[in-house]
Amino acid sequence: METKSENRSFGGTQGVYSHASEACGCDMTFALFLPEEARTAPVPLLWFLSGLTCTHENAMTKAGAQAWAADHGVALCFPDTSPRGDDVANDEAFDLGQGAGFYVNATQDPWAKHFKMWDYITEELPTLLERNFALDRERQAISGHSMGGHGALTIAMHLPDRFRSVSAFAPIANPTESDWGRKQFTAYLGDDTSTWALHDSTRLMEERGFDGPVLIDQGTDDQFLHLLKPEALAHAMTARRQDGAFRMQKGYDHSYFFISTFMEEHVAFHAEALYA
Amino acid sequence: METKSENRSFGGTQGVYSHASEACGCDMTFALFLPEEARTAPVPLLWFLSGLTCTHENAMTKAGAQAWAADHGVALCFPDTSPRGDDVANDEAFDLGQGAGFYVNATQDPWAKHFKMWDYITEELPTLLERNFALDRERQAISGHSMGGHGALTIAMHLPDRFRSVSAFAPIANPTESDWGRKQFTAYLGDDTSTWALHDSTRLMEERGFDGPVLIDQGTDDQFLHLLKPEALAHAMTARRQDGAFRMQKGYDHSYFFISTFMEEHVAFHAEALYA
């Protein structure tokens, strides 16, 4: 593991690190914020998965999460959103290939060789973090934005024992019924749609739900509402009587100005579960 | 004036606007955050001047200032740091020309035609803001980072009736004695060093001071300490018995991770003066 940068931030350290990833078959970069408390004891960890086109850097610099994580003594991990590099398959579209891993293990060529973001986020990166940083693996929570909200929700519902709480900002909520989903799942997973359902938050909510609190924020002026399909997930959460809240935030769009506005409440929401 | 974008942020609006600047002889872009209170009455305004290489965008997206400005009902203006465009003189170095206006009126060729950032920040842009937005011109404060901290301090001491308070993050504090200053003042203002002293915060503090509170934050691990020369300004503030504080912040560097950490305290500092 190589330290790319470390900056003092809110009494803790905002680091950026890279490492050779076995899962993805390329070097991967991630950002980790450690609050001051991590100097003396392992701290809880909140994962934040980012959206289309993002690297580890966008949320690290624009979401304003460190202020609140420091307040609560919580670490933050911002992974990249796909494998990267000249040897890694790509597509001219912004919503397929590099920057658009969709948090699945690709089974189809040319993607299968490197696009194993599910394994990377759920297995390889957690193991690396536990070995190298003062983190308490028993106290984890997960959040994300857009494609990353999709990732956070699907991963949380698959691994209910790992995460105490899950939240999302404007998640791609029903990808099997959206052009943000069908296109990528066809490319990465193939035509057999039975493999897709494992990666659809609405379907997972209908079938499994989450054994903990769920918080979703969605802007009413989001330019991608027709692709995100929040109504499907809100229906599924309510029909299941899922512990949680689905909040429509008037006037907000899909940007980091929306995310940063509600980040304080998301971090506090997770901190309550992490310190319960 | 053209609206480039407007995003809901912390209950208010983060806008980006461009306009044809007479002072700079080119189109200029600025960002303005208006808190919710501006919908019903004029609000106080905090200027934030950015550092070398920045546009209006860096501090708007990375400083985390909107959260605190919204708390206090204060507007934020993030101007650009120089004239821009293919017709505007430039230099290959990052610290001269576009992105490095140094908040002076250039008198020397090839800079004199466009590089009038002093007039732009102190006259043209304030007039434009007053005409177009719900801002209270009687309640203004000013802050900035690095080259922008230099700009904030020098402008505040030149225009003491305009600003109730001034703060800076890691300002270029003594540019007439630094390679961040001598090079640029020679290029923009010429060899007559008597014209330079008007643009040196340490000298202005010695000669004039500021009729209001001053807050300076400087990281102890700042990689540019030898260029910033904080000790000169701290000496001048103390020798003058200037109302204010010069704080050395242990372990922090020159980055936005430093700025965002202390932004809450800077906005609160200015809000106290603006609402006194």
Side-chain angles (χ1 to χ4, degrees):
Chain A
M1 201 181 70
E2 180 190 352
T3 300
K4 310 291 280 186
S5 63
E6 288 185 333
N7 299 85
R8 183 70 58 92
S9 170
F10 290 95
T13 302
Q14 178 60 64
V16 176
Y17 310 92
S18 71
H19 66 109
S21 165
E22 267 191 52
C24 295
C26 64
D27 285 346
M28 293 290 285
T29 301
F30 65 93
L32 181 72
F33 171 75
L34 286 176
E36 191 170 11
E37 289 82 351
R39 290 180 204 164
T40 50
V43 296
L45 173 61
L46 172 58
W47 295 79
F48 188 90
L49 306 184
S50 292
L52 289 166
T53 76
C54 288
T55 68
H56 68 281
E57 192 177 6
N58 304 64
M60 174 182 82
T61 55
K62 295 163 76 172
Q66 291 89 348
W68 318 117
D71 273 0
H72 292 286
V74 170
L76 300 167
C77 182
F78 306 101
D80 203 347
T81 60
S82 80
R84 305 270 178 187
D86 294 341
D87 299 335
V88 175
N90 204 358
D91 190 277
E92 287 182 3
F94 76 96
D95 59 2
L96 190 67
Q98 295 187 33
F102 260 78
Y103 305 100
V104 301
N105 286 335
T107 58
Q108 307 297 305
D109 288 333
W111 312 106
K113 186 176 176 191
H114 295 287
F115 282 73
K116 305 290 189 191
M117 286 303 289
W118 181 274
D119 285 349
Y120 179 69
I121 298 292
T122 64
E123 296 177 16
E124 185 176 23
L125 187 52
T127 302
L128 185 79
L129 294 183
E130 284 162 23
R131 286 186 188 153
N132 289 280
F133 301 98
L135 299 168
D136 179 359
R137 62 179 294 166
E138 299 302 319
R139 290 185 291 165
Q140 297 188 65
I142 190 164
S143 182
H145 172 231
S146 196
M147 178 182 74
H150 147 75
L153 288 163
T154 54
I155 289 170
M157 284 188 272
H158 274 283
L159 301 171
D161 294 337
R162 182 172 303 179
F163 301 104
R164 298 198 183 180
S165 48
V166 59
S167 77
F169 300 81
I172 299 177
N174 194 191
T176 62
E177 302 295 334
S178 167
D179 289 339
W180 272 357
R182 284 189 299 249
K183 169 184 175 178
Q184 293 81 5
F185 292 168
T186 302
Y188 296 147
L189 304 175
D191 294 328
D192 177 1
T193 59
S194 68
T195 64
W196 298 9
L198 296 169
H199 298 287
D200 186 298
S201 297
T202 294
R203 292 207 194 168
L204 289 168
M205 183 57 68
E206 288 166 353
E207 292 161 14
R208 307 183 183 198
F210 179 72
D211 185 22
V214 177
L215 173 62
I216 315 286
D217 273 317
Q218 172 63 61
T220 63
D221 285 13
D222 192 312
Q223 56 271 48
F224 302 113
L225 276 171
H226 61 293
L227 294 163
L228 301 171
K229 305 204 177 293
E231 59 281 4
L233 180 58
H235 182 275
M237 283 174 64
T238 318
R240 190 181 186 82
R241 301 3 176 182
Q242 169 68 47
D243 173 13
F246 199 115
R247 312 190 302 191
M248 295 299 291
Q249 301 287 5
K250 187 171 164 57
Y252 287 88
D253 57 32
H254 201 65
S255 70
Y256 274 92
F257 296 110
F258 158 63
I259 299 171
S260 59
T261 298
F262 298 102
M263 184 57 79
E264 179 178 13
E265 292 176 19
H266 281 244
V267 175
F269 161 80
H270 290 294
E272 189 175 336
L274 292 167
Y275 286 106
Chain B
M1 200 182 68
E2 180 189 353
T3 301
K4 308 293 280 187
S5 64
E6 287 184 334
N7 299 85
R8 184 70 60 91
S9 170
F10 290 94
T13 302
Q14 179 59 64
V16 176
Y17 310 92
S18 71
H19 66 107
S21 165
E22 265 192 55
C24 295
C26 64
D27 285 346
M28 294 290 285
T29 300
F30 65 93
L32 182 72
F33 172 74
L34 286 176
E36 192 170 10
E37 290 81 351
R39 289 180 204 163
T40 50
V43 296
L45 172 61
L46 172 58
W47 295 79
F48 188 90
L49 306 185
S50 292
L52 289 167
T53 76
C54 290
T55 68
H56 67 282
E57 194 176 3
N58 304 63
M60 174 182 82
T61 55
K62 295 163 76 173
Q66 291 89 351
W68 318 117
D71 274 0
H72 292 287
V74 169
L76 299 167
C77 182
F78 305 101
D80 202 346
T81 60
S82 79
R84 305 268 178 188
D86 293 341
D87 299 335
V88 175
N90 204 359
D91 189 277
E92 287 183 5
F94 75 95
D95 59 1
L96 189 68
Q98 296 186 33
F102 260 78
Y103 305 100
V104 301
N105 287 334
T107 56
Q108 307 296 304
D109 287 332
W111 311 106
K113 186 176 176 191
H114 295 287
F115 283 72
K116 304 290 188 189
M117 287 302 290
W118 180 273
D119 285 350
Y120 178 69
I121 298 292
T122 64
E123 295 178 16
E124 185 176 23
L125 187 52
T127 302
L128 186 80
L129 294 182
E130 285 163 22
R131 285 187 186 152
N132 288 281
F133 301 98
L135 299 168
D136 179 359
R137 62 178 294 167
E138 300 302 319
R139 289 185 292 165
Q140 296 188 67
I142 191 164
S143 182
H145 172 231
S146 196
M147 178 183 74
H150 147 75
L153 288 164
T154 54
I155 289 171
M157 285 188 271
H158 274 284
L159 302 170
D161 294 337
R162 183 171 302 179
F163 302 104
R164 296 197 184 180
S165 49
V166 59
S167 76
F169 299 81
I172 299 177
N174 193 192
T176 61
E177 303 294 332
S178 167
D179 288 339
W180 272 356
R182 285 189 299 249
K183 169 185 175 177
Q184 293 81 4
F185 292 168
T186 302
Y188 297 147
L189 304 174
D191 295 327
D192 177 3
T193 59
S194 68
T195 65
W196 298 9
L198 295 169
H199 298 287
D200 186 297
S201 296
T202 295
R203 292 207 194 168
L204 288 168
M205 183 57 69
E206 290 166 351
E207 292 161 13
R208 306 183 185 197
F210 179 72
D211 185 22
V214 178
L215 173 62
I216 315 286
D217 272 319
Q218 171 64 59
T220 63
D221 286 13
D222 191 313
Q223 57 270 50
F224 302 113
L225 276 171
H226 61 293
L227 293 163
L228 301 170
K229 304 202 177 294
E231 60 280 4
L233 180 58
H235 182 276
M237 282 173 65
T238 316
R240 189 180 188 81
R241 297 15 174 175
Q242 169 68 47
D243 174 13
F246 199 115
R247 311 190 304 189
M248 294 301 291
Q249 301 287 4
K250 186 171 165 56
Y252 287 88
D253 57 31
H254 201 66
S255 71
Y256 274 92
F257 296 109
F258 158 64
I259 299 172
S260 59
T261 298
F262 298 101
M263 185 57 80
E264 178 178 12
E265 293 175 18
H266 280 245
V267 175
F269 161 80
H270 290 293
E272 189 175 335
L274 291 167
Y275 285 107

